[in-house]
Amino acid sequence: MTSSSGAEEIWIRRFHHGLPGGNRLVCFPHAGGSASYYYPFSQALAPRTEVLAVQYPGRQDRRREPLVDSIPRLADHIADALERQGADSAAYFGHSMGAVLAYEVAQRLRERAAQGPARLFVSGRRAPSRRRPGGPGRVHLRDDDGLVAELRKVGGTDPSFLNDRELLAEILPVTRNDYKAIETYVWADRPPLDCPITALVGDHDPQTTSDEAAAWAEHTTGAFDLRVFPGGHFYLDARRDDVTDVVTAALDPTPAVNTLEGNTA
């Protein structure tokens, strides 16, 4: 069940409650994605880790709200919401566009209060300091057929949706908006974060090489870890258990105690 009580939670969705005093993980969706993408992660991590999923405007229960096509403006809004929720010091997990948003939110919160996330997980995205030759991406400038072709290429969207004209009418404006946001994003050189960063990437991701993911090490003075999985841009759909294992081990390395049998699990 999604929990949302009050206007201050318009940006945050909670699917499962965690243990009192337990870990909290704020999850940032990819371009065209929504908070519900992280429902399976929430289910797998609860109750030891409570997942708070960010809901961008223009999709699902926020579908009537204007879209935001700027990473900095999105980051400003999300940082405000996390401060209101007392989740600014939680761990963050972002995939693709969500990785950049998680990083930008972390920078804003650190600048405001001299603190940031407990740990940053960045998935399927090259480090902000790495730009590819040829200038900004142009996917958001393609016609509808070109945008659909890109979605088929990277995966992550149910193919049946891409064959349904009515669903495409809902999907494409949101996806185009998000591609514009990430493709026009320009990294502003800032001091590195001090939280640990874990970078995750598929070994056949057309959008991020292992070397580009490894460059996230430059964005922290803390510990850095690189995890490479079999798969493409949406490797985590097939490797969800492996990814949640990485998150669990990083956030809570002590095995849980089975209080009924007195054994570790």
Side-chain angles (χ1 to χ4, degrees):
M1 178 181 293
T2 302
S3 171
S4 180
S5 56
E8 73 277 6
E9 290 197 11
I10 193 170
W11 289 86
I12 306 297
R13 300 292 173 271
R14 181 185 292 104
F15 303 113
H16 306 89
H17 289 282
L19 297 172
N23 300 315
R24 302 178 89 186
L25 181 69
V26 181
C27 292
F28 297 72
H30 54 277
S34 59
S36 62
Y37 179 77
Y38 287 108
Y39 182 92
F41 284 86
S42 177
Q43 190 172 40
L45 291 168
R48 293 177 70 190
T49 296
E50 182 178 64
V51 168
L52 304 177
V54 177
Q55 185 76 301
Y56 309 140
R59 59 215 76 198
Q60 293 184 333
D61 54 333
R62 301 188 69 186
R63 64 186 177 277
R64 300 189 184 281
E65 297 180 41
L67 298 166
V68 178
D69 62 2
S70 161
I71 294 295
R73 283 196 288 130
L74 277 170
D76 287 341
H77 287 303
I78 297 167
D80 290 343
L82 293 182
E83 280 191 305
R84 290 193 298 265
Q85 291 297 303
D88 46 328
S89 60
Y92 300 170
F93 184 105
H95 180 66
S96 197
M97 181 184 82
V100 173
L101 265 173
Y103 164 79
E104 287 290 335
V105 169
Q107 286 285 6
R108 281 158 174 72
L109 291 172
R110 185 185 65 168
E111 291 165 1
R112 294 179 189 182
Q115 68 175 6
R119 178 180 284 268
L120 181 59
F121 298 91
V122 287
S123 168
R125 182 69 191 182
R126 60 187 178 272
S129 54
R130 291 294 185 269
R131 294 186 68 82
R132 290 185 166 183
R138 300 177 60 84
V139 172
H140 72 282
L141 299 175
R142 296 181 186 177
D143 62 15
D144 287 354
D145 288 343
L147 191 53
V148 169
E150 179 68 14
L151 294 179
R152 293 188 190 280
K153 175 183 173 183
V154 300
T157 304
D158 188 330
S160 65
F161 293 176
L162 301 178
N163 296 323
D164 187 309
R165 290 185 178 275
E166 291 186 6
L167 286 175
L168 277 179
E170 298 287 333
I171 293 170
L172 292 185
V174 172
T175 304
R176 188 183 305 280
N177 170 88
D178 291 357
Y179 267 87
K180 180 181 179 182
I182 192 59
E183 290 182 335
T184 58
Y185 165 77
V186 178
W187 175 61
D189 191 359
R190 291 189 179 97
L193 300 168
D194 56 12
C195 66
I197 293 181
T198 298
L200 308 93
V201 66
D203 60 1
H204 290 92
D205 188 340
Q207 297 191 8
T208 309
T209 67
S210 297
D211 286 345
E212 288 172 326
W216 277 100
E218 302 168 7
H219 293 278
T220 183
T221 59
F224 176 76
D225 186 24
L226 174 65
R227 298 299 183 99
V228 181
F229 298 89
H233 190 57
F234 280 92
Y235 73 91
L236 67 175
D237 288 345
R239 298 284 173 172
R240 186 173 293 127
D241 290 345
D242 294 332
V243 173
T244 54
D245 284 347
V246 169
V247 170
T248 298
L251 297 184
D252 192 3
T254 303
V257 174
N258 184 326
T259 56
L260 294 179
E261 298 181 8
N263 297 321
T264 57

